[in-house]
Amino acid sequence: MKVVDEYIALRLLDPQWESSLLDERLVLPYSRHWRLLSALGAPSRSQGQLSQRLQSLSSDAVDFIRRPHPDVLHVPDPRDHILLAAELLNVTGASSLMFAETLAACIAFESDFHCGAPRNAIGQLAERAAAIDVVIRIED
């Protein structure tokens, strides 16, 4: 299983996307799934990158985002990793729920973190990932 960000989840909708990740079952942390669902439910007036990508989706693609097939894109129950996420704060320092949950999923699933948006691989998340030896990979 490979832990991915919301941009990789969107790439699953592109039938021409080729990646070795497609040979694996992918894990989208709950808070990252929430980002997709909230952008679908209340599109941003700022028209950010995520909102723009979601606007052009077909109804079948929207349904996949709302209810991903667990054999393709698994969204784990956040309760399974919330204690681990909280314990990681002792090592990584204060963090957002999304960062903490993402790193906990990486530990629980023994996975690197695969990003479809390079900006998801830098800054505080990268610092916290390095502190616990989680590798962040940018998928082109």
Side-chain angles (χ1 to χ4, degrees), residues 12 27 41 45 47 69 105 112 116 127 138-139:
L12 291 171
V27 175
R45 291 184 187 263
Q47 296 302 309
H69 192 286
D112 296 341
E127 293 168 11
I138 299 171
E139 301 293 332

Side-chain angles (χ1 to χ4, degrees), residues 11-92:
R11 286 186 189 171
L12 291 171
L13 300 168
D14 180 356
Q16 301 202 357
W17 183 54
E18 295 182 12
S19 171
S20 62
L21 288 177
L22 295 173
D23 297 334
E24 300 280 341
R25 187 170 175 210
L26 303 181
V27 175
L28 181 67
Y30 179 83
S31 56
R32 291 185 179 277
H33 187 222
W34 172 250
R35 282 196 73 217
L36 291 170
L37 294 175
S38 64
L40 282 172
S44 170
R45 291 184 187 263
S46 66
Q47 296 302 309
Q49 185 180 7
L50 192 58
S51 293
Q52 287 177 0
R53 289 187 185 189
L54 291 170
Q55 284 180 350
S56 63
L57 296 181
S58 69
S59 60
D60 287 343
V62 168
D63 191 49
F64 174 80
I65 294 299
R66 286 186 176 144
R67 295 173 197 85
H69 192 286
D71 289 338
V72 177
L73 186 64
H74 173 63
V75 179
D77 186 326
R79 295 172 295 180
D80 294 342
H81 305 113
I82 200 68
L83 181 57
L84 176 57
E87 290 171 350
L88 288 175
L89 297 178
N90 290 323
V91 177
T92 64

Side-chain angles (χ1 to χ4, degrees), residues 93-111:
S95 179
S96 71
L97 174 60
M98 185 171 68
F99 286 2
E101 181 191 20
T102 297
L103 294 175
C106 290
I107 298 294
F109 291 105
E110 299 178 1
S111 173

